[in-house]
Amino acid sequence: MARHLITSALPYINGIKHLGNMVGSMLPADVYARYLRQRGHDVLYICATDEHGTPAELAAKEAGLPVDAFCAEQHGAQKAVYDGFELAFDHFGRSSSEQNVEITQHFARKLHGHGFIEERAIRQVFSIADDRFLPDRYIVGTCPHCGYDKARGDQCENCTRVLDPTDLIDARSAISGSSDLEVRETKHLFLLQSKLAGEVEAWIDATGDEWPQLASSIARKWLTEGLHDRSITRDLDWGVPVPADTWPELAAEGKVFYVWFDAPIEYIAATKEWSDSAPSDEVRDWKSWWYEGAGAESVRYTEFMAKDNVPFHTVMFPATELGTREPWKKVDYVKAFNWLTYYGGKFSTSQKRGVFTDAALELLPADYWRYFLIANAPESDDSSFSWEHFTATVNKDLADTLGNFVNRVLSFSRKRFGDDVPAGREAGEAEHKLGEEIAGLLAEYEDHMETLQFRKAAASLRALWSAGNSYLEEKAPWLEIKTDQEGAALTLRTAMNLIHLYAVVSEPFIPASAKALRAAFALTEDTATWVSPEEARTLASVPAGTPFTVPPVLFAKITDEDLESYKERFGGAEE
């Protein structure tokens, strides 16, 4: 039994996420975690809301709430959606936790003690009306390149050009709207990444070759361009405070750490949150997952994220860990994803384009979304969501191939043989041939899951479902029963064993449906335990005489009327 630590990119606190966020980190991490648990491994799946930074303060101001109350409210709202998608986190924490404050400050002190943090004077925009320095995102104005009048001081959202606040035309404070701004000198802390570049490169050379090309190429591109010293503090009211025992002057000024310094540390802190929240009769050792020498050397650590997060997780955070000179666990495998687009364009709340996760659950059960998203995961390149594609996938794969097979087999068997699995004769040539096919497909499925190739895994799962339909069509028990009752009983018993197999191996993709299928058979043992290809070959996990029930329809088909209503509500292909 191996120990697996799994983390997915922290969803930002500012609002409910769209389907692209779901498939780009949290959902594939959940699929992988569920698979490993079924295989008997010791798994810890950690995630949290990322709650610091300028956008959180601005969103709270717009909502008319104190920022801590806003973040608490949004954490609850996001957690409800992830529960709805059946994301089986071991802990879903918050980067504003006491644990993250404690560990982030510990990291900063260690980095400073080893000469990797330096205090520097810089020139920054100061708002007279607000009586404060403004982080780049707190400054808005007109982009000098495209004329967009709501460009931020760090980047224009319209043309994506990177900006300096002084580039903006008619610059003003995002807090008060005042244009009474001036540039003043202030001091900030800088992480000296340039000093750590060689160590980061050596670490990537030792581990990065195993990563998918998307992750390794992004990490190496950053290294090739050179690691620059980076400011890791900001002038904000909300964040992890700079510790007064180390930097009393900056602490007195209210400086906090930059969100991209403390957010990755929250993976460690959220594990401590999990440890600290253990019931009185349970011992959880968070250091055994993160600190080599305390047990973390036996852990395999896998991170899931969209491609825009890769540089921070493969370069900046490892540099932070290395610079502490403490044996913190570093990532073994980075699974990066491209973008999921909406009809080839961006998801947009303001333009009412695209499906956000809360609305998705209002329309259809989570398993419909889980299966479609993983089967079309943007692994090697971007993938596009369209209602037509979604409808076709749900109707063909889930409703017809899996759902219809289950209903046909169980309904027909109950009608002709009663409420117990029929016996029939011993398996014949067709069953042995089917067993070999199933074993081969299951081995392929396992291989794709082990190597985190989710689209290929979905194709293998679909092929397993299709094999049952082909067997049923070949044996045609509705005809067979007219001349050979024993043969028809064998066919149905075999098909029921396939249903149970599907209920086990489909669990990572469609957990609610898989659970309903397992519940159809009155088996006493833990029927969610993984079935090996060798065990699956015999198709004998559900013995004759086992009572069964016919579950309700697993997957209702999406009608043409449904399709049109979805496109009208959420937008379709642009003309």
Side-chain angles (χ1 to χ4, degrees):
M1 182 178 73
R3 299 177 71 217
H4 287 269
L5 174 64
I6 296 171
T7 63
S8 52
L10 309 185
Y12 198 67
I13 196 65
N14 189 7
I16 299 297
K17 305 308 164 193
H18 59 65
L19 294 179
N21 294 110
M22 178 62 68
V23 74
S25 61
M26 290 174 283
L27 179 56
D30 179 72
V31 170
Y32 186 54
R34 284 177 176 276
Y35 168 75
L36 291 175
R37 289 187 189 112
Q38 281 188 281
R39 299 299 304 267
H41 298 303
D42 188 8
V43 177
L44 185 66
Y45 177 21
I46 294 292
C47 193
T49 38
D50 179 5
E51 300 189 5
H52 294 141
T54 311
E57 286 196 7
L58 293 177
K61 181 175 181 290
E62 189 175 328
L65 291 171
V67 66
D68 56 346
F70 172 80
C71 288
E73 179 183 277
Q74 289 298 312
H75 175 84
Q78 289 200 28
K79 180 65 164 59
V81 171
Y82 305 144
D83 287 346
F85 269 88
E86 297 210 28
L87 301 183
F89 303 119
D90 288 286
H91 185 74
F92 185 67
R94 302 180 60 187
S95 70
S96 60
S97 68
E98 292 178 6
Q99 290 87 344
N100 199 34
V101 171
E102 173 194 337
I103 297 174
T104 297
Q105 291 181 341
H106 170 84
F107 265 68
R109 292 187 188 101
K110 287 293 181 181
L111 287 161
H112 176 64
H114 291 292
F116 296 118
I117 288 182
E118 182 177 280
E119 189 175 319
R120 294 180 181 176
I122 63 170
R123 294 181 65 76
Q124 191 174 346
V125 174
F126 187 89
S127 168
I128 306 299
D130 301 307
D131 192 30
R132 62 179 289 177
F133 285 99
L134 298 179
D136 295 350
R137 279 182 170 237
Y138 270 35
I139 306 159
V140 294
T142 299
C143 175
H145 304 288
C146 71
Y148 180 62
D149 66 355
K150 295 182 181 64
R152 298 190 310 261
D154 59 346
Q155 186 177 31
C156 175
E157 188 181 45
N158 186 55
C159 69
T160 73
R161 292 285 286 270
V162 174
L163 300 173
D164 187 271
T166 55
D167 296 333
L168 293 172
I169 301 166
D170 299 326
R172 60 195 181 276
S173 165
I175 302 171
S176 62
S178 171
S179 57
D180 190 5
L181 309 175
E182 63 183 40
V183 177
R184 295 183 182 179
E185 186 173 278
T186 185
K187 290 181 179 179
H188 279 285
L189 299 179
F190 279 74
L191 177 64
L192 305 185
Q193 293 187 136
S194 58
K195 282 189 173 184
L196 291 159
E199 294 178 49
V200 174
E201 185 170 10
W203 171 72
I204 289 177
D205 285 342
T207 60
D209 286 345
E210 188 184 346
W211 303 347
Q213 184 181 0
L214 179 61
S216 62
S217 63
I218 292 172
R220 292 188 185 282
K221 181 175 183 290
W222 264 49
L223 287 173
T224 301
E225 292 174 355
L227 293 192
H228 303 291
D229 300 340
R230 188 178 190 123
S231 171
I232 58 167
T233 50
R234 293 291 186 271
D235 292 284
L236 295 170
D237 297 324
W238 175 247
V240 174
V242 169
D245 58 7
T246 312
W247 294 281
E249 182 184 339
L250 298 187
E253 293 174 5
K255 308 282 187 186
V256 300
F257 286 106
Y258 174 45
V259 62
W260 258 115
F261 182 73
D262 82 83
I265 295 171
E266 168 60 12
Y267 293 132
I268 302 172
T271 309
K272 190 172 188 302
E273 294 170 44
W274 163 79
S275 178
D276 291 347
S277 65
S280 58
D281 61 344
E282 183 180 344
V283 177
R284 297 174 179 172
D285 182 5
W286 68 274
K287 278 196 171 182
S288 74
W289 293 94
W290 280 105
Y291 207 81
E292 294 175 356
E297 58 275 7
S298 68
V299 170
R300 178 169 175 79
Y301 176 22
T302 306
E303 289 182 345
F304 290 79
M305 70 198 68
K307 58 187 176 183
D308 58 329
N309 285 328
V310 168
F312 299 98
H313 288 78
T314 61
V315 176
M316 186 173 175
F317 184 41
T320 301
E321 290 182 296
L322 287 163
T324 65
R325 299 303 187 234
E326 294 179 321
W328 294 104
K329 177 66 184 174
K330 287 171 283 296
V331 66
D332 295 300
Y333 193 85
V334 179
K335 177 64 176 179
F337 291 85
N338 288 284
W339 304 130
L340 176 72
T341 66
Y342 188 79
Y343 285 92
K346 285 184 177 180
F347 286 78
S348 171
T349 308
S350 60
Q351 297 175 26
K352 295 183 179 178
R353 278 185 51 76
V355 193
F356 285 70
T357 48
D358 55 346
L361 293 177
E362 290 171 9
L363 293 183
L364 293 164
D367 281 356
Y368 291 56
W369 301 104
R370 288 179 62 106
Y371 176 77
F372 174 82
L373 290 171
I374 293 295
N376 296 280
E379 292 177 298
S380 58
D381 50 24
D382 292 350
S383 61
S384 178
F385 177 92
S386 74
W387 285 109
E388 292 82 1
H389 187 201
F390 175 73
T391 298
T393 301
V394 167
N395 288 352
K396 182 181 178 184
D397 293 359
L398 294 179
D400 286 343
T401 306
L402 177 59
N404 189 44
F405 175 78
V406 170
N407 186 263
R408 289 167 73 192
V409 169
L410 297 182
S411 296
F412 184 72
S413 187
R414 184 177 64 179
K415 180 180 178 181
R416 302 309 295 264
F417 293 100
D419 294 329
D420 297 338
V421 175
R425 66 169 68 97
E426 292 295 312
E429 182 180 345
E431 287 70 39
H432 291 305
K433 178 183 173 185
L434 174 65
E436 292 299 321
E437 181 184 6
I438 292 295
L441 289 171
L442 183 54
E444 284 180 16
Y445 178 53
E446 286 182 351
D447 183 61
H448 296 323
M449 291 292 276
E450 296 285 347
T451 55
L452 284 77
Q453 299 182 77
F454 292 103
R455 292 180 74 145
K456 289 182 178 179
S460 294
L461 182 60
R462 190 186 311 122
L464 280 164
W465 299 342
S466 295
N469 283 278
S470 297
Y471 169 75
L472 204 63
E473 291 302 318
E474 177 190 343
K475 292 296 294 290
W478 49 90
L479 298 177
E480 194 176 20
I481 197 168
K482 296 177 181 178
T483 57
D484 184 0
Q485 279 222 343
E486 288 283 300
L490 164 64
T491 300
L492 292 168
R493 187 183 81 231
T494 303
M496 288 187 194
N497 273 277
L498 280 177
I499 290 171
H500 183 258
L501 175 68
Y502 298 161
V504 173
V505 301
S506 303
E507 157 80 19
F509 281 69
I510 47 173
S513 305
K515 183 178 180 180
L517 286 182
R518 292 195 298 274
F521 299 99
L523 296 169
T524 54
E525 69 273 13
D526 178 10
T527 57
T529 303
W530 196 256
V531 179
S532 70
E534 189 60 39
E535 292 167 329
R537 180 180 279 109
T538 62
L539 295 170
S541 58
V542 182
T546 301
F548 72 90
T549 56
V550 182
V553 173
L554 288 176
F555 306 100
K557 282 196 170 185
I558 299 172
T559 66
D560 291 342
E561 292 76 16
D562 293 332
L563 173 60
E564 291 307 313
S565 71
Y566 299 158
K567 288 166 63 179
E568 182 178 351
R569 176 178 171 184
F570 297 99
E574 292 182 318
E575 297 298 329

